[in-house]
Amino acid sequence: MDKPRIFRSTETSEGMRNDVQYSENENRGAVRKALQVSAMLQTEGGPAIGGKTVDISTSGICVLTNYSLATGESWLIEFDLQLDGKVYHFEAVGMVAQRVVASNGIRIGFQFKRVSMASLIAISRYMREAPAWT
């Protein structure tokens, strides 16, 4: 079942701006927390592409990038997460679950398929300590 979304267009001094916003009554399987750090995405044997994380949960992550990735593809996702003054390297394999074109790039929703135990522990700690998604 598709998640309810609100598509909106706003006229700015630079032209029309199109964006997508999830409705407030959206029901997701896992709680998400905002996370904005640089990330690297890579397919097996392919070149790495850059992006920026948008939000994360224990079951997936949203990454903003300039590239449209095919639904169902598996990608290695890497980024550094700072907790309590320490840097934890996060690494997981995620499957592209959805793509949403936004005004500032393409939001790629990944569902985690393989996550290292150290990465899962770091994300679980982040989910407990980070402020709630707004």
Side-chain angles (χ1 to χ4, degrees):
M1 185 168 141
D2 287 339
K3 304 295 182 191
R5 293 183 211 126
I6 300 168
F7 294 88
R8 62 182 177 188
S9 294
T10 308
E11 190 170 347
T12 69
S13 59
E14 298 166 355
M16 291 301 288
R17 176 182 166 162
N18 298 307
D19 208 347
V20 176
Q21 177 181 7
Y22 292 100
S23 67
E24 291 184 23
N25 62 357
E26 175 185 6
N27 294 321
R28 291 200 175 237
V31 174
R32 298 178 299 153
K33 296 281 179 111
L35 176 66
Q36 296 181 345
V37 297
S38 295
M40 293 299 296
L41 307 171
Q42 187 171 18
T43 58
E44 189 172 324
I49 61 173
K52 187 169 187 122
T53 62
V54 176
D55 59 49
I56 193 163
S57 74
T58 55
S59 63
I61 190 167
C62 179
V63 178
L64 180 68
T65 185
N66 291 326
Y67 301 92
S68 181
L69 310 181
T71 302
E73 282 186 341
S74 290
W75 286 78
L76 175 65
I77 306 159
E78 294 184 78
F79 61 88
D80 290 330
L81 179 64
Q82 191 164 3
L83 288 169
D84 300 325
K86 296 179 186 171
V87 176
Y88 296 89
H89 184 71
F90 177 88
E91 188 172 301
V93 173
M95 181 186 73
V96 176
Q98 75 171 14
R99 297 170 296 177
V100 177
V101 177
S103 61
N104 55 348
I106 301 171
R107 292 175 187 225
I108 308 292
F110 291 94
Q111 180 180 2
F112 294 141
K113 293 297 178 188
R114 284 194 322 260
V115 182
S116 71
M117 185 57 70
S119 293
L120 188 56
I121 290 169
I123 291 305
S124 295
R125 284 187 56 213
Y126 179 79
M127 296 301 291
R128 284 192 311 267
E129 297 171 13
W133 177 259
T134 58

